Amino acid sequence: MHTLPIFAHFRQTAIAALAVLLGVFVFYTSFNGPFESLLQRAIFVMMITALAVLMHPLFEGSRLRPLGIVIDAAIVGVVTVSGTYIIANYETIMNDLPWANGWDMVMGFGTLACVLELARRSSNWVFPLIVIAAVTYAFFGYLIPGQFGHRGFDAGYLTEIIFLSDRGLWGMLVNVASTTLAAFVLFGAILLHTGAGETFFDLSARLGGSRPGGAAKIATFASGFFGAINGSTVANVATTGNFTIPLMKRLKYPPAYAGAVEAIASTGGQLAPPIMGTAAFVMAELVGVNYWSIALAGVVPALLFYLGIYSTVHVIARRQGFRPVTSEDLPDWRGAMTFARLAPIVAALLGLGFGVLNGNSVELTACYGMIAMLVAVLVARISSGEDPRAVIGIIIRALEAGGKGVVIVGILLVGAQVFVAMINLTGFGVAVTAAVLSIGQGQIWLIAGLMAIVCLIAGMGLPTSAAYVMVAAVFAPALIQQGIDPLVVHMFVLYYAALSVITPPVCLGVFVAATIAQAPWMKVAGETLRLGATAYALPMLFLAYPGMLGGGEVGDILRAILSGGVFALGVAHLLGGARLPWGGLSRLLWVVPIGLALMPPWPATAAAAVVFAVLVVFSRKALGAAENIEMQTA
């Protein structure tokens, strides 16, 4: 009778031990540098596979669980044998490019099947089916007529690409996952476990809680802080949403609106520097630039993203009369700003800054941030009289959380690398580019519109990193061939891939928010689209104003910032329903500064700012008059 609980306890212990071991591996290779490429990647894949099997057991809670145990053991065995084979023969693989034999084919396609099964368990069926379709296309492309056909490849050659090279299961994206990405996942885990989570929430409450619509503003700030660390919209909604959504509902916010605020704010976190979620690390590799260039390019768009949300929330709060959070419900500034609370955060930033200024690799820079945090929390806790053993417990829990955090994205990137390899091998991306350019006839905005739609559709049901890789591999060249900077194009794809998580009908972030808010998901989705209107338009502004991503002269950057700011504020006032004193239809006047902000010349930008400022003055007068009437009526 006690066999099942004992087994469950053993599994949880094994998960914790293996996650800590993976965290130690990440920390060690971040500090000392990674092993030889195939060694690093094979070890990483073996570890995340074993951990994924333990975290997502097959047929758990079912009478078929004994069969599930056999299959789980087989998955671990297949991947371990394959990884060990690669480690033992990595010099031959890299130097001699060996021919694939029958045993290689079994190991190669067996390992791929195991990875896709684990991707299915941790995500859903969509991603594995896409990868399977890509491999099938590589086999049977010779049966397809026209520009999308190709000569086809046999099992031996595909095994050499997928298994016996650094282009498939052990490819570039796996390298990113096992080094840079894993280092920052561990960095974020340590940051949260040293108390940053509570501090971020308290700071968010103090920054936004005392203003009209304070609870929604707390959600906006807190979700941005947390999302920048964990890099997952769904995880962000599930964590911060459990605090912010009930708070908004207690203050009489409509449930659908409360869920929408959390959903859109959580989405922006993975687009906010300095961490920017997991996809940004992949982008740095695909574009061929330093990660910090990506982070720097993301600063202005992230600010505009949250400016749009905050302003829309503010306008709605003033119009609807949403109250601030009472002072009794707000944390004390002194409690949030103590040395013990702030020391790890400040130390983390100083560690990152040292690594950047010293010109170190991204993963070593993250390692300096981790070391600085651990030293700071050790000093802060001991100086306050805590037992040093408590700090050791923090370190162990952080390593465990970091190890667990890298599993899902690591598994997905292994599969995504195989997809990219098949796209490059078959020339499918080139064929799609030619087709898109033929349809677009050189019209950049038409091509961009097609890409945006494809990004939103392709990303539905997929984590952002997987959606970004797939769309970037197939469609990004179409815009790059029009002379647009690759960084601009890839940032364009990244934004729409991130937004796909909250775009109906398959909007996982909205589903989670709606569940917490206990509201119909379609209503939550509608409110999310209204609050996120600026976010959906931002990628198009990248094409019109490359200066928004830091490109061009200083004047180009300033114009992009001003135009983007007026656009975001104008959309917020339009969709938030900001009053104007000339009747209901006069609200359409907000379209004027929005339209002017989209015009490239400086005079149009200046006119947009002036018109917007004038409308704001009249809007405040109209709001004041309406509030006086309400007070007199009351």
Side-chain angles (χ1 to χ4, degrees):
M1 294 178 61
H2 299 287
T3 303
L4 189 58
I6 291 174
F7 181 78
H9 176 74
F10 172 78
R11 183 164 66 84
Q12 292 303 320
T13 302
I15 289 173
L18 189 55
V20 169
L21 183 61
L22 180 55
V24 171
F25 171 79
V26 171
F27 187 89
Y28 176 83
T29 55
S30 297
F31 187 77
N32 290 296
F35 299 108
E36 293 286 343
S37 60
L38 287 186
L39 299 182
Q40 173 82 13
R41 302 169 197 181
I43 293 171
F44 177 76
V45 171
M46 286 190 291
M47 294 181 75
I48 63 172
T49 298
L51 194 49
V53 164
L54 290 170
M55 291 171 62
H56 304 281
L58 187 62
F59 302 137
E60 184 178 20
S62 165
R63 288 182 297 178
L64 295 176
R65 179 57 188 150
L67 175 61
I69 292 175
V70 173
I71 295 174
D72 287 347
I75 289 175
V76 175
V78 168
V79 177
T80 301
V81 169
S82 298
T84 303
Y85 179 84
I86 295 297
I87 291 172
N89 296 279
Y90 81 95
E91 290 185 354
T92 302
I93 293 171
M94 295 304 298
N95 297 327
D96 298 340
L97 303 176
W99 294 89
N101 56 37
W103 177 237
D104 295 327
M105 295 178 198
V106 171
M107 286 192 293
F109 286 99
T111 302
L112 177 60
C114 294
V115 168
L116 295 182
E117 162 59 13
L118 293 177
R120 180 199 65 80
R121 296 186 199 178
S122 57
S123 179
N124 52 48
W125 272 107
V126 176
F127 176 76
L129 288 176
I130 292 174
V131 178
I132 291 170
V135 176
T136 303
Y137 175 68
F139 269 115
F140 301 108
Y142 66 90
L143 299 175
I144 301 174
Q147 65 179 355
F148 288 100
H150 60 82
R151 65 183 180 86
F153 301 93
D154 61 26
Y157 188 74
L158 289 182
T159 300
E160 292 164 18
I161 298 297
I162 293 173
F163 184 64
L164 297 177
S165 74
D166 59 355
R167 297 163 61 185
L169 291 166
W170 330 104
M172 173 265 296
L173 297 182
V174 186
N175 182 67
V176 174
S178 66
T179 54
T180 308
L181 187 152
F184 268 96
V185 169
L186 184 59
F187 172 89
I190 294 176
L191 186 60
L192 288 178
H193 279 78
T194 53
E198 186 180 356
T199 303
F200 284 155
F201 193 86
D202 287 352
L203 290 177
S204 300
R206 295 302 314 187
L207 288 172
S210 60
R211 303 282 294 165
K217 291 172 180 175
I218 291 174
T220 302
F221 283 118
S223 299
F225 285 140
F226 279 91
I229 296 173
N230 66 30
S232 168
T233 296
V234 175
N236 200 7
V237 173
T239 50
T240 59
N242 276 306
F243 295 97
T244 59
I245 292 175
L247 175 62
M248 286 185 271
K249 291 179 67 177
R250 283 203 306 272
L251 294 174
K252 308 303 181 184
Y253 291 28
Y257 176 75
V261 171
E262 181 59 45
I264 185 63
S266 293
T267 302
Q270 62 184 318
L271 301 170
I275 298 179
M276 292 185 68
T278 57
F281 298 103
V282 179
M283 186 199 300
E285 194 72 30
L286 293 179
V287 179
V289 299
N290 185 282
Y291 169 75
W292 299 114
S293 300
I294 304 288
L296 185 62
V299 171
V300 172
L303 292 176
L304 294 176
F305 188 107
Y306 279 101
L307 176 64
I309 300 172
Y310 184 92
S311 301
T312 307
V313 163
H314 179 76
V315 171
I316 293 174
R318 294 297 302 272
R319 181 169 59 83
Q320 298 286 355
F322 292 151
R323 302 192 311 272
V325 179
T326 60
S327 58
E328 292 79 11
D329 291 330
L330 292 176
D332 183 49
W333 270 117
R334 289 171 296 181
M337 302 293 286
T338 61
F339 172 73
R341 295 277 293 274
L342 292 179
I345 299 175
V346 174
L349 295 176
L350 291 175
L352 291 178
F354 173 79
V356 172
L357 295 176
N358 204 38
N360 297 116
S361 66
V362 177
E363 52 268 28
L364 181 55
T365 297
C367 195
Y368 285 146
M370 289 186 263
I371 293 172
M373 268 190 287
L374 294 175
V375 171
V377 73
L378 183 65
V379 172
R381 298 291 175 104
I382 292 178
S383 63
S384 63
E386 286 193 38
D387 190 337
R389 289 176 295 183
V391 180
I392 297 175
I394 291 173
I395 296 173
I396 293 175
R397 289 192 297 273
L399 289 172
E400 180 183 348
K404 291 178 180 178
V406 79
V407 169
I408 294 178
V409 69
I411 290 291
L412 291 174
L413 286 180
V414 175
Q417 178 61 60
V418 174
F419 172 84
V420 172
M422 296 301 98
I423 294 300
N424 293 336
L425 177 66
T426 59
F428 181 76
V430 176
V432 169
T433 297
V436 171
L437 293 178
S438 176
I439 295 172
Q441 295 294 318
Q443 300 297 317
I444 290 178
W445 295 109
L446 177 56
I447 296 171
L450 290 172
M451 280 187 58
I453 293 171
V454 169
C455 286
L456 292 174
I457 294 174
M460 290 180 181
L462 291 179
T464 299
S465 54
Y468 161 72
V469 169
M470 291 183 170
V471 177
V474 177
F475 290 95
L479 274 178
I480 294 174
Q481 287 193 18
Q482 297 300 300
I484 301 176
D485 186 279
L487 176 58
V488 174
V489 175
H490 281 263
M491 193 71 80
F492 177 96
V493 173
L494 173 62
Y495 261 68
Y496 281 121
L499 291 169
S500 68
V501 182
I502 55 169
T503 303
V506 185
C507 39
L508 300 181
V510 168
F511 292 157
V512 176
T515 300
I516 298 173
Q518 296 180 326
W521 75 267
M522 279 300 294
K523 288 186 177 181
V524 177
E527 290 285 353
T528 302
L529 293 177
R530 176 169 65 137
L531 295 172
T534 299
Y536 281 89
L538 266 179
M540 293 295 179
L541 295 182
F542 300 164
L543 305 181
Y545 300 104
M548 197 171 286
L549 301 179
E553 303 294 332
V554 174
D556 298 326
I557 298 174
L558 293 176
R559 184 177 63 182
I561 294 174
L562 181 58
S563 297
V566 173
F567 178 86
L569 292 170
V571 170
H573 282 72
L574 174 66
L575 298 182
R579 293 185 176 97
L580 286 172
W582 308 296
L585 289 178
S586 66
R587 292 178 181 176
L588 295 177
L589 289 173
W590 295 110
V591 174
V592 176
I594 294 172
L596 289 171
L598 296 176
M599 298 180 183
W602 258 112
T605 301
V610 171
V611 172
F612 175 76
V614 171
L615 291 178
V616 167
V617 172
F618 282 107
S619 178
R620 289 182 175 178
K621 289 182 178 179
L623 180 64
E627 289 175 345
N628 288 333
I629 293 174
E630 290 175 2
M631 291 177 62
Q632 293 172 4
T633 303

